Amino acid sequence: MSEPKTEEQERGLTTAQAQARLASEGPNELPRGQRRTPLRIALEVLREPMLAMLAAAGAIYLLLGDTTEALILIAFAGLSIAITIVQETRTERVLEALRDLSAPRALVLRDGAAVRIAGREVVRGDWLVLEQGDRVAADALLLEASELKVDESLLTGESVPVRKRASTPDDPDFAEPGGDDLPQIYSGSILTRGRGLARVTGTGAHTRMGQIGVSLAALDTESPRLQGETSRIVRWCAIGGVAAALLVVLLYGLSRGSWLEAALSGIAVGMSLLPEEFPVVLTIFLAMGAWRIAQVGVLARRTSAIEVMGSVTVLCTDKTGTLTQNRMTVTELWLADGRTAVLGDSQPDAAFSALLKAAALASAPVPVDPMEIAFHEADRAFGNGGHDSRTLMRSYGLRPELLAMSNIWREAEGQGPLIVAGKGAPEAIAQLCRLDANGMAALEAAAEEMAQRGIRVLGVATASVAPDDIGKAHDEHDFSLVGLIGLIDPLRPGVASAVAECRAAGVRVVMITGDYAVTASAIGRKAGLADGGLMTGAELAALDDAALARRIRDVTVFARTLPEQKLRIVSALKAAGEVVAMTGDGVNDAPALKAAHVGIAMGKRGTDVAREAASIVLVEDDFGAIVAAIRLGRRIYDNIRKAMRFIFGVHVPIAGLALLPLVTGLPVVLGPIQIALLEMIIDPVCALVFEAEPEEGDLMRRRPRDPTERLFSAPMVVRSVAQGVVAFVALAALYLFHARQDIAPAELRTLMFFGLVAAVLALILADRSFSTSLREALLRGNSVFRYVLAAIGAMAVLVLTVPPLRRLLQFAPLHPVQLLAVGMVGIVLLLLLERIKRLSPDN
């Protein structure tokens, strides 16, 4: 309950009392979070399972004595770490920034005098002196309020300021924000009109904003499922590769008696099966994805969120500042004679000009309130002048019993009657104008018609008063109704088209807002949300979790929701198996942003705490960039699948050619040096070529992938292995035929090495697209692939024409017929692989 004023409280706290309370309760700020410095980010990256496997593979190669391959892996690891550090350092915002928002400077009464102090020094019990334009430093209870209106959109999502009143002895210190005529004010809100005096009831973590900030620490972000799955497959492949290598050493040594050659063969088999490309692909693809998505104005604070965007099934969005521009705009005009106009459709006539002029005159000369700003903008847009030629003589403020305000103006000449311009709730303006039954019915019908479409409606009236009558009461003037003005918080440009693209891609868009149901429904219709039900916060609170889970699939608009209800909605959707992305910009959105699979914060209008809680930040607050993020997420996942399929397939012929000589007793053709050289081709193909592959044609027309779908699904693994087996059979035939021709071992080794290169290129062409079109495989645009192909060609020329290099690699020159045979193997293999795609599609 509100405490009665004592003589001491009339003067506010003393300095000693304030210092004692500051020492005992702490400063007016959120607990400090540990800043994620570049060093800390680097340590976090090094702990990632994928990078750990990458480092482990490099260590194994070092133990094997293959310094070249180890250095290549270390270079990839260093590049991945560098890209991640740069990306996350640029976008990192911590709760330290929230403290600046929640603890601005404040004017308080200390020792009976008004003093300006740092916001962090405000304590419970302080008296705040509040003026128009101030940001409230702490939660407080109003003791005095004069025409006070406060913007609480950061906490409630309401797009217009709310009225405040002074407290009574029966008012509690604490209450939920939202709605007019409450005596409580909240940290972080802004006074748009009037002044007041308030007693601080909560500081720091005990404010409404602080409670939201502290609750973020208790929420766990979603762990990257893709990384966990890849980590497991890498672990099993590595175990299998080591086991196969040991078995080869044992069999070779026992059958041929040369344990040195057995060790070399075992090393070759181990290298052919060691899947170091998996962590390379995942780490590089996500890091490059963060760079690519930054080019369209989206910053990824956590790179794993980019891939998750591709599987989003539900996009939960706030209204104010996300779908809408968080500013009021005059949209419709209604005159007392029944004429109407829609601004933007055509230029209204002079009668409507008088309505806009009256609304501007009824507003503050230098407006702060969003609606008054809208009146001035509309008045100027119509070509009317400002207030420079008039002098403001008196103002009448809002009163609980009469929700209208007026200004009295004197013309520049100083002669004649004064002008009174008033605006307010339609019923209050009707009362001032003393409308008859017919006039009241027409006014109410027009106001109701606009309100049903989510338009906020204000009435406007004017009067003339003699200079001697300026002291009359507000309702004693002889007002005449001018008309009604309708205002909306307009949609952001491109929102409707972005929502349509989401729906075409199978992503359900759900709006969650603290605004009124009628306004929320109207915005939902304009944004093009799918047909569905509306649920208010009160209705949601009456449901248990099971009932909410049953109804949530049929609701597209949630109105008058509280911050904890936004979190509950996101949690219910996740429990229902949906992959949830949540957008928002206010403090009230932060818990839901952090709890969602992907939190998307608005970077320009968004608060620092929202950006801290989110995993993705939209730099330009462009809702359409969400579609770009979904598109890129799907493209990245597609390309990861293509690369993984290639990796599985390409290791089969390499391992097969390493094992085949042991079975046939023929010369060994692949040793560690040759396999290391092959890996120098395969690694950039995986990390660069597949990452740069353009999107599939149906990318944004297909439904999101099943959240339970595994990256390494059985169909994908079977098809990959089948491709590898076909490649191995073709190469085995080439090997067996030439091995029986009694050619030199170095020549056979060279032939089979370039046969493997041809097989690698065939696998690339087959796997770079889900399409079964051979033309698509050959002509699909990818400049990186052309560069890699040119590099492979240059390497082949060097190897075959530079004798010292040939000797180092244990190669020999090839005859034209042999080169033709290699080319034919590649062509035939590509045709067979495309046939396999037709028989067993897995996309």
Side-chain angles (χ1 to χ4, degrees):
M1 300 293 289
S2 176
E3 300 176 4
K5 300 179 186 179
T6 65
E7 182 178 352
E8 182 181 40
Q9 285 177 315
E10 290 286 357
R11 301 189 305 272
L13 298 178
T14 65
T15 301
Q17 288 173 325
Q19 289 177 348
R21 195 159 291 179
L22 184 65
S24 63
E25 297 182 1
N28 179 33
E29 61 186 12
L30 293 183
R32 290 182 176 271
Q34 185 178 358
R35 184 173 181 84
R36 294 179 76 231
T37 62
L39 177 59
R40 183 182 174 193
I41 294 173
L43 293 176
E44 290 177 357
V45 174
L46 288 171
R47 289 198 298 267
E48 289 292 329
M50 292 300 94
L51 201 60
M53 291 302 299
L54 190 62
I60 291 174
Y61 279 117
L62 282 175
L63 291 176
L64 295 174
D66 192 343
T67 307
T68 301
E69 187 70 10
L71 290 176
I72 292 173
L73 290 175
I74 292 172
F76 271 121
L79 178 61
S80 302
I81 294 172
I83 293 175
T84 304
I85 290 175
V86 170
Q87 190 67 32
E88 296 199 10
T89 300
R90 286 180 56 200
T91 60
E92 184 61 28
R93 298 292 187 270
V94 294
L95 292 179
E96 180 180 348
L98 173 61
R99 293 199 303 274
D100 295 335
L101 176 64
S102 60
R105 292 185 64 80
L107 186 64
V108 301
L109 295 181
R110 293 277 175 89
D111 299 316
V115 294
R116 184 77 63 179
I117 63 172
R120 70 186 308 273
E121 297 175 6
V122 173
V123 298
R124 183 175 54 84
D126 260 329
W127 281 28
L128 299 176
V129 180
L130 303 168
E131 297 288 345
Q132 179 175 308
D134 286 349
R135 186 182 292 276
V136 181
D139 286 6
L141 189 70
L142 284 165
L143 305 175
E144 299 176 6
S146 176
E147 304 177 22
L148 192 61
K149 298 182 77 174
V150 180
D151 180 356
E152 297 179 347
S153 61
L154 292 182
L155 292 169
T156 66
E158 294 179 348
S159 55
V160 296
V162 293
R163 295 187 305 273
K164 294 293 180 179
R165 62 170 175 84
S167 62
T168 66
D170 295 328
D171 287 319
D173 284 352
F174 303 98
E176 291 293 336
D180 290 317
D181 299 321
L182 295 178
Q184 295 85 9
I185 56 176
Y186 303 91
S187 174
S189 57
I190 301 174
L191 271 69
T192 63
R193 187 181 183 91
R195 56 186 176 80
L197 185 66
R199 174 174 53 82
V200 174
T201 57
T203 61
H206 300 288
T207 64
R208 185 63 182 158
M209 181 183 291
Q211 291 169 7
I212 295 174
V214 170
S215 70
L216 297 180
L219 294 174
D220 294 327
T221 54
E222 289 290 322
S223 58
R225 292 174 294 175
L226 187 61
Q227 291 189 357
E229 185 180 347
T230 307
S231 178
R232 286 191 296 272
I233 199 71
V234 167
R235 190 181 306 115
W236 284 109
C237 287
I239 291 173
V242 171
L246 293 175
L247 181 62
V248 165
V249 171
L250 182 63
L251 292 176
Y252 196 107
L254 292 176
S255 63
R256 300 196 180 189
S258 175
W259 290 97
L260 180 58
E261 290 185 5
L264 291 174
S265 296
I267 290 173
V269 170
M271 291 177 64
S272 68
L273 294 176
L274 195 63
E276 80 279 2
E277 296 92 355
F278 286 145
V280 168
V281 165
L282 194 59
T283 307
I284 292 294
F285 275 42
L286 295 182
M288 288 298 295
W291 176 80
R292 288 184 184 278
I293 204 170
Q295 308 307 303
V296 294
V298 180
L299 299 181
R301 295 185 66 249
R302 287 181 283 275
T303 55
S304 59
I306 301 173
E307 174 272 324
V308 180
M309 280 297 292
S311 61
V312 164
T313 59
V314 176
L315 173 59
C316 297
T317 174
D318 185 38
K319 178 185 75 67
T320 305
T322 305
L323 292 178
T324 66
Q325 299 177 26
N326 196 20
R327 67 178 184 87
M328 302 306 292
T329 300
V330 175
T331 181
E332 293 191 21
L333 305 175
W334 177 87
L335 296 179
D337 61 10
R339 285 180 292 168
T340 61
V342 177
L343 294 189
D345 289 354
S346 61
Q347 183 74 355
D349 59 31
F352 293 101
S353 174
L355 174 59
L356 292 172
K357 172 53 65 181
L361 290 174
S363 305
V366 181
V368 177
D369 183 283
M371 287 191 290
E372 294 190 340
I373 293 173
F375 292 147
H376 279 273
E377 289 178 347
D379 186 41
R380 286 193 297 270
F382 202 84
N384 293 328
H387 300 328
D388 294 342
S389 62
R390 299 179 177 87
T391 303
L392 181 62
M393 304 299 294
R394 181 178 178 181
S395 295
Y396 298 93
L398 288 171
R399 304 197 310 269
E401 67 275 11
L402 184 64
L403 300 178
M405 60 184 67
S406 298
N407 291 330
I408 300 179
W409 297 88
R410 184 180 66 194
E411 295 290 354
E413 308 83 50
Q415 302 296 322
L418 306 178
I419 299 173
V420 186
K423 62 178 174 63
E427 61 273 16
I429 293 299
Q431 179 181 338
L432 286 176
C433 296
R434 303 174 183 86
L435 295 181
D436 58 21
N438 290 335
M440 179 68 76
L443 178 74
E444 290 178 346
E448 178 65 20
E449 194 273 335
M450 281 194 272
Q452 287 179 352
R453 290 182 282 115
I455 298 175
R456 296 184 181 270
V457 186
L458 288 183
V460 179
T462 59
S464 295
V465 59
D468 294 340
D469 293 334
I470 195 173
K472 284 184 176 181
H474 194 189
D475 55 2
E476 292 179 1
H477 297 300
D478 188 16
F479 281 97
S480 297
L481 177 65
V482 182
L484 299 175
I485 296 183
L487 304 100
I488 60 169
D489 183 5
L491 283 178
R492 289 182 177 277
V495 163
S497 60
V499 170
E501 286 192 71
C502 286
R503 293 180 61 181
V507 179
R508 184 163 67 102
V509 181
V510 174
M511 183 169 68
I512 309 173
T513 178
D515 214 336
Y516 292 96
V518 172
T519 304
S521 294
I523 292 295
R525 288 193 298 272
K526 292 178 181 178
L529 301 186
D531 295 334
L534 180 144
M535 182 181 292
T536 65
E539 293 171 335
L540 189 150
L543 299 176
D544 59 22
D545 290 343
L548 178 60
R550 287 193 298 271
R551 288 196 55 189
I552 201 165
R553 294 183 183 276
D554 300 322
V555 179
T556 55
V557 176
F558 291 88
R560 301 303 289 168
T561 54
L562 301 175
E564 56 269 25
Q565 290 176 326
K566 292 186 178 185
L567 176 59
R568 189 178 172 207
I569 292 167
V570 170
S571 299
L573 287 168
K574 289 170 62 179
E578 305 282 4
V579 177
V580 183
M582 169 74 190
T583 72
D585 64 347
V587 176
N588 60 327
D589 301 320
L593 286 173
K594 188 170 184 180
H597 293 99
V598 183
I600 308 170
M602 298 298 171
K604 187 171 288 185
R605 289 182 181 268
T607 59
D608 292 300
V609 70
R611 291 193 288 268
E612 163 63 22
S615 49
I616 286 178
V617 178
L618 306 183
V619 177
E620 294 297 328
D621 293 359
D622 180 9
F623 186 82
I626 296 174
V627 178
I630 292 174
R631 181 187 298 274
L632 184 61
R634 292 187 175 193
R635 171 185 164 184
I636 287 174
Y637 187 77
D638 278 356
N639 288 346
I640 287 175
R641 287 178 58 209
K642 295 171 185 177
M644 297 299 187
R645 190 167 62 189
F646 168 79
I647 293 169
F648 267 117
V650 80
H651 278 276
V652 173
I654 296 175
L657 288 179
L659 289 169
L660 185 60
L662 303 181
V663 177
T664 61
L666 295 173
V668 174
V669 293
L670 292 181
I673 294 178
Q674 291 77 36
I675 294 178
L677 185 58
L678 275 174
E679 293 293 341
M680 291 181 67
I681 298 174
I682 294 172
D683 285 352
V685 166
C686 295
L688 299 177
V689 173
F690 284 107
E691 191 281 327
E693 279 298 320
E695 65 187 50
E696 298 292 314
D698 66 342
L699 187 74
M700 295 300 287
R701 297 193 302 272
R702 66 171 94 131
R703 295 193 58 79
R705 73 176 186 273
D706 187 338
T708 62
E709 174 189 299
R710 301 183 69 87
L711 173 64
F712 299 97
S713 62
M716 189 272 276
V717 174
V718 169
R719 176 174 153 181
S720 301
V721 172
Q723 287 182 329
V725 169
V726 170
F728 168 67
V729 169
L731 291 171
L734 183 69
Y735 169 73
L736 294 174
F737 175 79
H738 285 87
R740 304 197 190 290
Q741 302 301 313
D742 198 25
I743 64 175
E747 188 176 350
L748 181 61
R749 180 180 300 112
T750 307
L751 178 70
M752 295 314 302
F753 175 84
F754 283 101
L756 267 173
V757 171
V760 167
L761 293 177
L763 285 167
I764 294 172
L765 292 171
D767 288 335
R768 63 198 295 250
S769 172
F770 294 138
S771 168
T772 57
S773 166
L774 184 61
R775 181 178 184 277
E776 181 80 2
L778 294 172
L779 302 180
R780 185 177 172 86
N782 184 339
S783 59
V784 175
F785 176 57
R786 291 194 291 270
Y787 296 142
V788 170
L789 193 61
I792 292 174
M795 180 207 69
V797 171
L798 289 174
V799 168
L800 292 174
T801 59
V802 179
L805 188 58
R806 279 204 312 268
R807 288 192 294 272
L808 177 65
L809 298 175
Q810 302 175 11
F811 284 161
L814 292 180
H815 302 296
V817 174
Q818 293 173 324
L819 290 174
L820 179 62
V822 167
M824 290 302 299
V825 166
I827 293 172
V828 171
L829 184 55
L830 175 59
L831 295 175
L832 292 174
L833 294 177
E834 287 295 320
R835 184 62 180 172
I836 291 176
K837 285 170 65 175
R838 290 179 181 273
L839 296 175
S840 60
D842 72 312
N843 57 305

